[in-house]
Amino acid sequence: MRRLVEERVRHAVSAWDRFWFAPVETSTLALFRIAVATVILSWTLALAPSLYAFYSRDGILPGYPAYEGTLAWGLIEYFPGNAAITLFYFLLLIGSICLLFGFLTRLAAFIVFVCVVSFAHRNPWVLNSGDLLVQVLAFYLMLAPAGEALSVDRWLKTRRSFWEFPARSIWPLRLVQVQVSILYVAAVWAKVRGVTWNDGTAVSYAFRIGDLQRLPVPGFITDSLVISNLLTFGTLAIELAIGILVWNRILRPWVLLLGVSLHLGIDYAVRVGFFSWAVLVAYIAFVPPDSARSFILATRDRV
């Protein structure tokens, strides 16, 4: 009996180690880096028109907000002048571009994360959940060996094997995968504790908020109780399915495909900032390395 227990414990520990630390090709991580950097670069460019209105002393929030009980750090707290804000902005812009191409990737990822968090904590009142997710993805990318493949760093290191993808521990991508699962389970839990998600009218209300409407939704959708119920409860079902069933290898492609449809629909109808695109980028963490490698090499051959 004791031997059986010890064997099961060793098996469980081995499975745990494989789950977090098994070496895999960095092809998926390369695609993830490029996609995250593209979203962060777009996020950075979107800041430009309102940069000083949102973050300067002469803007809508003259002073650094008072945080109580949270570790909300940011460099802009110590360098609040317009010159410093301009400097941080261009550091973020240049860092995003370097991260996109994989040049000085470790340093670029660190600079991007620090700058994104600094802007976010300087004025949290202009953020939404998409901005928070961008911060999280930047943090995970900072921890990952993101420049090991498909990067300028790789080209400078070894040009002959540029199109190879050296194996590295999978744990940074696992963190992203776990984040996606928690995101959806937490979203469902928050929604079912309200009223409109339980009575089936939440989606109809969301589609009729004029300030957030991106493109018009036909009236027969927003005014129909049956369609509203289907869309509302369908959203809950899809989010719960992604949060749980994404760990099943057979069902994973199908639930993620449902998630892609869901977020493209949201982005069509409602202005939710970068939330949908940040979530879709996080899906890349679930792409098998061999599929990612095949996609990269096929794209190279076509180009």
Side-chain angles (χ1 to χ4, degrees), residues 11 60 125 172 183 199 203 205 207 218 233 250 288-289:
H11 179 74
I60 58 177
W125 316 119
L183 183 152
D199 64 19
V203 171
Y205 280 119
F207 284 163
F233 295 129
I250 298 176

Side-chain angles (χ1 to χ4, degrees), residues 34-112:
I34 293 171
V36 172
T38 300
V39 170
I40 294 177
L41 178 59
S42 302
W43 187 85
T44 303
L45 294 174
L47 289 182
S50 306
L51 183 65
Y52 299 108
F54 285 167
Y55 303 110
S56 74
R57 289 173 173 174
D58 302 324
I60 58 177
L61 189 64
Y64 201 85
Y67 292 96
E68 296 181 2
T70 59
L71 183 61
W73 57 271
L75 294 181
I76 298 178
E77 179 180 6
Y78 307 103
F79 305 97
N82 286 356
I85 291 174
T86 303
L87 175 61
F88 291 139
Y89 179 81
F90 279 102
L91 281 175
L92 177 57
L93 181 64
I94 295 171
S96 302
I97 296 173
C98 290
L99 192 59
L100 177 63
F101 292 100
F103 178 62
L104 300 175
T105 311
R106 286 284 192 182
L107 178 61
F110 174 76
I111 291 174
V112 164

Side-chain angles (χ1 to χ4, degrees), residues 170-251:
I170 196 176
W171 69 267
L173 289 177
R174 287 289 190 222
L175 289 176
V176 181
Q177 294 172 351
V178 172
Q179 181 71 61
V180 170
S181 185
I182 293 175
L183 183 152
Y184 283 110
V185 173
V188 172
W189 175 246
K191 289 172 181 176
V192 297
R193 289 186 296 167
V195 176
T196 56
W197 286 98
N198 289 318
D199 64 19
T201 60
V203 171
S204 178
Y205 280 119
F207 284 163
R208 288 183 288 169
I209 301 177
D211 291 342
L212 298 180
Q213 189 178 80
R214 185 189 303 277
L215 295 172
V217 178
F220 75 88
I221 293 178
T222 58
D223 298 336
S224 170
L225 183 60
V226 174
I227 296 179
S228 178
N229 283 181
L230 290 174
L231 292 176
T232 300
F233 295 129
T235 298
L236 290 175
I238 291 174
E239 291 181 339
L240 187 61
I242 297 174
I244 298 175
L245 300 181
V246 73
W247 297 107
N248 183 286
R249 293 184 180 181
I250 298 176
L251 298 177

